[in-house]
Amino acid sequence: MIVSNRLPVDHVSGKGTDAVWRTSPGGLVAALEPVMRERDGVWIGWPGMPDVEFEPFEADGIDLIPVPLSADEVENYYEGFSNDTLWPLYHDVISPPSYHREWWEAYQRVNRRFADAALAVAAPNAIVWVHDYQLQLVPKMLRDARPDLIIGFFNHIPFPPYGIYSQLPWRRQIIDGLLGADVVGFQRVADAGNFARAVRRLHGYETRGNLINVRLEETQAEMTLRHQAKARRGQPVRTVLARPFPISIDAQQFQRLAADPKIRARAKEIREELGNPRVLMLGVDRLDYTKGIRHRMKAFGELLEDGVFTSEEVALVQVASPSRERVDAYAQLRDEVEIMVSRINGDFSQLGHPGIHYLHQGYPREEMVALYLAADVMLVTALRDGMNLVAKEYVASRTDQDGVLILSEFAGAADELRQALLVNPHDIDGLKAAIVHAIRMPQRERMRRMRALRKRVLSHDVQRWSATFLDALVREDHNDPANRLD
Ligand code: G6P
C-alpha cells in the first residue's frame, strides 16, 4: 500500500464516469507510477482539487483510494505547512519558511486522515509505504494503532542539517512521527546522516551506522511479541533502519519512447521550428525557487552579452511547469523569471530568434522525450534538490549516446552522475564556463561521458530502487549484511 499526498492522477473536471484526470506533476509520481503498475496494491492520496469526494477507482491498472481535502485544508496543510514551512526549511531555507500554529494543526489533522484511510483497508501484516514530507506523522500514527504493520517511509526531498532543522517549532513531533517506520529512506548519504544527527540531538537515541535504537520505555505501547522476544535476549527493542535509497526512473520506458519514430521525427521538427540553431540548450523544471532557473538564465544572458554566441547560434528552451501558484514565494518567483526572460530577450533576441524560449506549461512525456532528444545540452542547476529525475530522464532518452548534462552538485543526482559537468549554480562564472565547455565539447568526449552516465541510469532504475527498499523493509533483521549499501 502506498500513501502519498498526491495520487498519480489529478482531477481536472467532471464527476462520475465524466470525470477527467491528468497525470500529476512532480518526481514522486513519475517514480512511483511505474512501480505500482507492476505490482498489486492500492495507492492512497489526494486527487489534487479541494472539496471533491470520489469512491475508490482504478486508473491504468492501479487501484486508487482518494482522500478528500477541504479548501481550508489545502490552504493550511498543503500550501501552508507542507509548501511554505517544510519545503523551504528542507531546501536550505532558500526562501524563508513561515511557522504558523494553525498550519501545524491542519498538518496533524490531515496526516491523521491519511493514516485512517490506510488503517481502514490494511490487511494484517500489510506493508504500508508512506511517502514524502507532507505525511511525516503517518508512520507513528499507523504503528500506534497497528503494530502488526510493516511500515516504510521514503523522503523524496532533502533532509536538512540540524542547524536548519532545529528552527522547526515541532521538530520533536516530526522525528517521532518518522521513527514510527521500520525503514526511513532518504535520497543521499548526507540526508540520512542529517536525520540520524537530529535523532541523537533531540532524543539521545543511540545510532550504529544506519541503525537507530529507539528506546523501549518510549515505545512500550507499540511492542509486538517479536520485539518483546528480542528484548528478553537483551537486544535493542526496536531498531529503525535509516539509510539512503537514491530514487530513479523507469529507464526502459524512456528508451522505448526515444526509439519511437514519431518521437524522433518530432525531435527533428522541434529543432527546425527553433530555426535550426547550432546548439540547443534545455531546462525542464517545475517553476520552483529550488531549481536555480534564474541562475541559469543569468549565466545564459551574460554569455549573450559577452558575445560568446548569438541567439541565432544558441537557443535556450526553458520549460517551467506551473506549480503551487497560490503560495506567495512561487508567485513572486514567476514574476522574477518572467521579467528576466523579457529583459534578456529584449536585449539580445534577433528577429525570429528569441534568446530564451520560455514555456510556462506542462507537457506529456512524449513531447518531453522529443525535447530531450533535440537538446545538445541539458541544464539542471538546482540550488537544492532531493534527486532531480529530469537529469536521469535526459540520460535514459539519449539512446544515441550523445548530449551533455550540466548538473548541479546540490542535486541528489550528482552523487551518481559523476560524468556530468558538475557545477555550483551560485558561481555564475563557473556556470558560464561549464556552458561554454559543453558547447565546445568534442563528440568523442560527449559520447564517453554519456555512455558512462547511461550505464549508471540503466542499471539503477526505479524498479531496482523499489525492490531494494522493499527488501530492506521485509528483512526483519536490519543487522543483516544484505542491508549494507552497495
Ligand atoms: C516534488 C515532491 C512531491 C510533489 C511534487 C509536485 O517532487 O517531492 O511530493 O508531489 O514535487 O509538487 P506538488 O506540490 O504539485 O504535489
Side-chain angles (χ1 to χ4, degrees), residues 21-227:
W21 300 84
R22 71 166 165 236
T23 304
S24 302
L28 180 151
V29 163
L32 290 182
E33 196 225 26
V35 170
M36 278 306 266
R37 237 186 293 118
E38 285 172 16
R39 291 174 189 261
D40 278 342
V42 295
W43 190 327
I44 295 174
W46 173 50
M49 261 208 183
D51 294 321
V52 286
E53 294 217 14
F54 286 97
E55 291 301 312
F57 65 105
E58 198 201 296
D60 271 347
I62 309 176
D63 290 321
L64 309 180
I65 301 185
V67 176
L69 295 182
S70 68
D72 187 64
E73 287 163 346
V74 170
E75 193 178 325
N76 292 298
Y77 147 79
Y78 169 72
E79 291 163 347
F81 200 79
S82 297
N83 290 316
D84 210 6
T85 304
L86 294 174
W87 181 269
L89 182 73
Y90 282 31
H91 288 87
D92 284 358
V93 296
I94 296 168
S95 163
S98 305
Y99 303 110
H100 296 296
R101 283 162 285 185
E102 58 278 26
W103 291 1
W104 167 242
E105 292 297 322
Y107 185 79
Q108 294 174 89
R109 206 169 52 243
V110 172
N111 270 244
R112 171 70 58 195
R113 182 167 320 137
F114 277 83
D116 287 347
L119 291 169
V121 290
N125 305 311
I127 298 177
V128 188
W129 194 0
V130 183
H131 289 265
D132 231 358
Y133 60 102
Q134 304 94 341
L135 299 177
Q136 293 174 98
L137 303 177
V138 172
K140 180 173 183 341
M141 291 172 173
L142 296 175
R143 179 163 300 281
D144 286 348
R146 289 276 303 275
D148 62 297
L149 298 177
I150 301 171
I151 304 163
F153 180 90
F154 186 74
N155 197 50
H156 292 249
I157 68 172
F159 194 88
Y162 188 70
I164 290 180
Y165 180 74
S166 56
Q167 284 186 16
L168 187 66
W170 308 280
R171 58 198 186 187
R172 273 182 82 94
Q173 290 95 315
I174 295 278
I175 295 286
D176 283 339
L178 292 171
L179 287 175
D182 294 293
V183 175
V184 184
F186 296 93
Q187 300 281 26
R188 303 181 93 159
V189 176
D191 300 319
N194 289 341
F195 175 70
R197 261 187 302 282
V199 169
R200 282 197 299 270
R201 294 290 293 269
L202 291 167
H203 284 295
Y205 292 156
E206 182 200 359
T207 59
R208 283 179 296 129
N210 296 317
L211 299 175
I212 298 169
N213 295 336
V214 177
R215 269 200 300 273
L216 175 62
E217 44 305 352
E218 298 185 33
T219 60
Q220 215 115 30
E222 70 194 40
M223 280 199 335
T224 60
L225 284 174
R226 189 180 66 174
H227 293 133

Side-chain angles (χ1 to χ4, degrees), residues 123 131 360 364 366 400 465 470:
H131 289 265
H360 184 240
E366 289 72 15
D400 58 354
W465 168 80
L470 292 170

